[in-house]
Amino acid sequence: MTSAYADSNDELQQDVTIPVQRPADDLEPGTRAVIYLRVSSSGQVKTDYNAEGISIPAQREACLRKARDLGVTVIDEYVEPGRSALEMTKREAFQRMLARVRSHEDVDVIIVYQLSRMARNRYDDAIVMADLRKGGVTLVSATEAIDDTPVGQLMHGILATFNEYQSRQSGADIAYKMGQKARNGGTLGRAPLGYLNHIDHSDGRVIRTIIVDPQRAPLVKLAFQLYATGDYSLDELADELYDRGLRTRPTTRHPAKKVSINKLSQMLRDRYYLGYVDYQGEQIRGRHQPLIDEELFDQVQDVLDSRATAQERRRVHHHYLKGSVYCGYCRRAGRTQRLAIQRTVNRHGHEYLYFFCRNKRNDLCPSPHIHVYQVEEAIERHYASIRFHPEFIADVGAHIDTVINEQEAAARLLHKQTTSQLRELDTKEDNVIDLAADGTLPQTKVKAKLRDIERERRHLTQRLDTASADLTDSARLIQAALTLLEAPDKLYRRCNDQQRRLLNQAIFHGLYIEDDQVTDHDLHDPFGPLHALQRQHVPAPTSATTTRSPRGRSKRATRPASGSSTSGVALLLKGIHTGQGSNNNPKVEVPGIEPGSSVASTGLLRAQFAVPLLGPTGHANKPV
């Protein structure tokens, strides 16, 4: 058991000065008393026209009556409005009272309304009582029979134990009720920005619920809409919302103010605005009205994830290539350095953006400043170099079908064999049960045989469940990669800035720039292995590639084993399925994706639905 009181700093307590309200020098020792009054929540002092509420005056009256009965004089009182019994070190009046007992030595009796007003922890109670006894101070309750007599001390111990039990029981009861409220879709605590806590008085009931804040809710929804465009950093979004009138809700301590960047970031991640409440990590459909839909929320998450993936600092300048472009000069020197972005304004007020290598400042890199437009055009041109040839796409597609068909055939055969074995076990089990009914076998042998049969059945059932290593997702990923890069340069030109960001992060681990050219790149999986296969690829033979054997029979041209796309695709499928990938592509946990999946795979599947479709209009379509 731990004690908040035991962790307090005694030296700090001794430095506290106590203003004495009534002179105690003329009073005889043994007759000097102080009273300690406390309520455990600030709401209890706001229940009456009296500034102290109802509870504190009632406690004071009972304590003064007890003082008269004891024949002692109250020389001071210590009032604690709204302090929890579990936070003794934060109860300022309580600490001042103890410091006075230690330093002034002018207190003989402390009167409390109830023992629970002082402590609800047996350990804290014991330490406080040891302090008081050391100073010769008696603790008296106005409503309970506790004093320095043996019977009074026995009652004190019983009440301390009961108060601790009651405190813990009340806490457990409140936690249970809060859990039930959350599981029913209720909101615990203060409503997030855009909503208001509301008390509904209907049908004779008092129901605490959540309503939409008519003033702030439209601006919260606007925050999601603006950020989903990809045109705003968090700094810029906070300024824009402030200019449009979004403020935090004022409290007694803090006035309304601008929404901070951290608060804004948390808000954009909060699924509460989709209509869910979070309780102990579980997402539960709430009873409050959603402010946004799933599509808008997902678009915002894509923007947040893409900027987090690029490790981009968006404090001053932002660009869709930040985080994806690296210095080619440093690459050749054996270093890895991202290109930063710099803004310059000429004497006519025109703004220019340049990419530059930070190592240039240390004279470690000779690379020049490169205009942003030159880098953009270089990457557009570079996309033509990563396209997959139609023959390769068709050949890989055929091999994927072959691998999947072979897997399915093997799985069907294993399923058939396992099912047959399970039927045999059922027959064997029936025979053992029949023998047991006839009394032919001893009960011990019957139980042992039945346990063996059940153990084998579990093994076969588990084998049946895991008979097929599902390569379907891997095949879909490869086919999506092939489709995406069938005409990548045309696709890239049709994308908006946010879609280009997604494509770059899905395909490239890094693009290396020298002057105004892309000199190298690192590809994410599965693009890297697929390009390696394409370099080894031998097209499927056609009529033009057939040869004649000496006996005049037609014979297909053979394919070198080292360049076999068939084996390469099969290995690639299995490598992606088992989570093995390029060493250049670290595995991380991605929300919504199974552990160990790569950022590239996630980005590819997202980019597949986020980029515009190629069509005859010549305009970029709206992202899905």
Side-chain angles (χ1 to χ4, degrees):
M1 181 184 299
T2 60
S3 167
Y5 173 76
D7 295 334
S8 62
N9 192 318
D10 289 341
E11 293 181 0
L12 291 178
Q13 293 175 0
Q14 292 172 5
D15 292 338
V16 178
T17 58
I18 308 301
V20 179
Q21 297 178 357
R22 299 179 180 86
D25 298 337
D26 298 335
L27 299 177
E28 296 182 4
T31 64
R32 300 165 296 183
V34 297
I35 60 177
Y36 177 70
L37 315 172
R38 184 183 67 84
V39 291
S40 56
S41 67
S42 58
Q44 290 177 269
V45 298
K46 300 176 182 178
T47 56
D48 191 64
Y49 293 109
N50 188 329
E52 291 183 327
I54 296 175
S55 180
I56 287 180
Q59 291 182 40
R60 179 184 292 114
E61 183 179 349
C63 290
L64 292 174
R65 190 186 311 116
K66 186 69 173 180
R68 288 193 296 269
D69 294 342
L70 295 175
V72 297
T73 303
V74 175
I75 61 173
D76 209 346
E77 71 174 27
Y78 295 87
V79 182
E80 205 88 67
R83 293 294 183 182
S84 169
L86 299 178
E87 299 177 327
M88 297 189 72
T89 57
K90 296 181 180 180
R91 292 179 359 200
E92 298 174 2
F94 181 76
Q95 297 299 336
R96 290 201 308 272
M97 182 180 68
L98 292 182
R100 176 176 184 161
V101 168
R102 296 190 186 100
S103 59
H104 287 61
E105 298 181 353
D106 62 346
V107 177
D108 303 308
V109 180
I110 293 177
I111 305 175
V112 295
Y113 177 69
Q114 286 180 340
L115 187 61
S116 62
R117 297 298 87 197
M118 189 187 73
R120 291 190 180 180
N121 180 309
R122 286 176 296 168
Y123 191 32
D124 284 344
D125 179 79
I127 294 178
V128 171
M129 289 307 300
D131 246 359
L132 297 183
R133 289 194 184 99
K134 190 183 299 182
V137 178
T138 301
L139 178 67
V140 175
S141 171
T143 58
E144 299 158 330
I146 60 171
D147 50 33
D148 280 341
T149 65
V151 174
Q153 290 301 296
L154 174 63
M155 181 61 68
H156 186 139
I158 294 173
L159 287 173
T161 303
F162 178 76
N163 289 335
E164 180 178 2
Y165 163 77
Q166 189 178 45
S167 176
R168 292 178 181 273
Q169 179 64 22
S170 298
D173 183 59
I174 291 171
Y176 172 76
K177 291 176 180 177
M178 290 176 64
Q180 288 298 108
K181 180 178 180 179
R183 293 185 184 95
N184 291 330
T187 300
L188 304 179
R190 197 172 188 222
L193 193 67
Y195 294 92
L196 295 173
N197 294 90
H198 177 70
I199 299 179
D200 183 13
H201 298 274
S202 59
D203 299 331
R205 300 180 180 181
V206 180
I207 303 172
R208 299 184 182 274
T209 185
I210 300 294
I211 61 173
V212 173
D213 185 343
Q215 178 184 354
R216 296 177 179 82
L219 294 172
V220 169
K221 184 175 182 180
L222 179 66
F224 281 87
Q225 293 170 337
L226 293 178
Y227 197 76
T229 65
D231 297 332
Y232 290 83
S233 67
L234 289 174
D235 275 330
E236 295 163 343
L237 183 60
D239 291 338
E240 179 70 19
L241 294 172
Y242 184 78
D243 292 340
R244 298 199 185 206
L246 181 62
R247 305 287 190 276
T248 60
R249 291 194 301 268
T251 65
T252 54
R253 294 186 178 182
H254 304 289
K257 59 183 180 180
K258 177 182 174 181
V259 180
S260 68
I261 296 175
N262 289 338
K263 185 68 176 178
L264 196 58
S265 176
Q266 294 171 7
M267 185 181 79
L268 294 174
R269 290 284 192 187
D270 196 347
R271 291 178 61 83
Y272 188 90
Y273 297 99
L274 276 175
Y276 293 92
V277 294
D278 182 88
Y279 181 70
Q280 296 183 347
E282 181 183 357
Q283 292 287 314
I284 303 165
R285 175 61 70 176
R287 295 186 297 203
H288 61 281
Q289 177 184 336
L291 292 186
I292 61 172
D293 56 30
E294 291 274 0
E295 181 180 359
L296 178 58
F297 186 81
D298 289 342
Q299 290 175 5
V300 169
Q301 304 318 299
D302 287 340
V303 177
L304 289 169
D305 291 343
S306 64
R307 291 173 179 173
T309 301
Q311 300 178 8
E312 177 182 335
R313 297 173 62 192
R314 299 176 53 84
R315 295 179 185 171
V316 183
H317 315 300
H318 62 274
H319 190 274
Y320 67 89
L321 289 176
K322 282 185 68 174
S324 296
V325 288
Y326 292 75
C327 178
Y329 287 92
C330 290
R331 167 85 159 189
R332 288 194 286 111
R335 297 187 297 267
T336 300
Q337 180 62 57
R338 280 193 176 94
L339 294 183
I341 198 166
Q342 176 178 316
R343 170 183 174 269
T344 60
V345 180
N346 64 13
R347 60 191 179 91
H348 301 293
H350 298 299
E351 179 182 275
Y352 297 93
L353 292 177
Y354 294 91
F355 279 110
F356 72 96
C357 179
R358 294 186 184 276
N359 287 331
K360 185 178 179 66
R361 296 174 176 175
N362 304 324
D363 295 328
L364 296 176
C365 181
S367 65
H369 283 59
I370 313 169
H371 198 285
V372 162
Y373 293 141
Q374 291 178 298
V375 178
E376 291 175 348
E377 292 174 356
I379 291 175
E380 282 188 25
R381 295 192 301 269
H382 186 70
Y383 260 80
S385 69
I386 61 169
R387 68 184 292 265
F388 292 121
H389 302 305
E391 298 85 0
F392 176 72
I393 293 175
D395 202 14
V396 170
H399 289 316
I400 287 176
D401 292 340
T402 300
V403 172
I404 296 297
N405 289 337
E406 290 175 354
Q407 175 206 354
E408 290 178 349
R412 284 193 297 270
L413 178 60
L414 184 56
H415 186 279
K416 182 179 179 180
Q417 293 172 344
T418 307
T419 304
S420 176
Q421 289 176 296
L422 286 171
R423 283 198 297 266
E424 292 177 2
L425 280 180
D426 291 340
T427 303
K428 186 184 295 185
E429 187 179 51
D430 291 340
N431 292 337
V432 171
I433 292 174
D434 290 341
L435 291 174
D438 295 340
T440 307
L441 287 177
Q443 289 295 321
T444 53
K445 289 187 176 181
V446 169
K447 292 179 180 179
K449 287 183 176 295
L450 289 176
R451 281 196 298 268
D452 292 341
I453 292 172
E454 182 59 30
R455 189 181 303 112
E456 190 173 356
R457 179 183 285 111
R458 284 198 301 268
H459 172 72
L460 290 174
T461 303
Q462 183 180 5
R463 186 182 180 190
L464 187 64
D465 293 338
T466 60
S468 173
D470 187 6
L471 303 182
T472 305
D473 289 342
S474 304
R476 285 180 60 245
L477 183 63
I478 291 178
Q479 288 171 343
L482 294 171
T483 303
L484 203 63
L485 298 193
E486 189 172 3
D489 49 337
K490 295 180 182 178
L491 179 63
Y492 190 75
R493 283 194 292 270
R494 298 173 67 87
C495 289
N496 61 32
D497 288 353
Q498 179 58 24
Q499 293 163 346
R500 288 187 175 193
R501 176 191 294 275
L502 287 173
L503 271 178
N504 290 333
Q505 293 177 358
I507 298 170
F508 298 104
H509 182 69
L511 289 153
Y512 296 88
I513 309 295
E514 289 189 35
D515 301 326
D516 60 349
Q517 300 292 327
V518 179
T519 57
D520 202 356
H521 62 237
D522 290 329
L523 292 170
H524 279 306
D525 291 345
F527 301 102
L530 281 172
H531 270 283
L533 286 176
Q534 181 170 250
R535 288 192 294 270
Q536 301 172 0
H537 177 249
V538 177
T542 63
S543 58
T545 60
T546 57
T547 58
R548 289 285 174 180
S549 66
R551 296 186 179 182
R553 291 193 300 269
S554 176
K555 184 170 67 174
R556 299 280 185 183
T558 58
R559 180 181 303 164
S562 61
S564 172
S565 292
T566 306
S567 59
V569 170
L571 290 174
L572 179 59
L573 272 170
K574 294 177 181 177
I576 294 175
H577 174 69
T578 56
Q580 300 170 356
S582 168
N583 292 332
N584 295 328
N585 185 23
K587 306 299 179 191
V588 299
E589 299 291 339
V590 181
I593 305 296
E594 290 185 4
S597 59
S598 68
V599 174
S601 303
T602 307
L604 171 58
L605 293 177
R606 285 180 175 168
Q608 185 183 10
F609 297 101
V611 298
L613 301 176
L614 292 175
T617 62
H619 300 286
N621 298 329
K622 182 181 179 181
V624 179

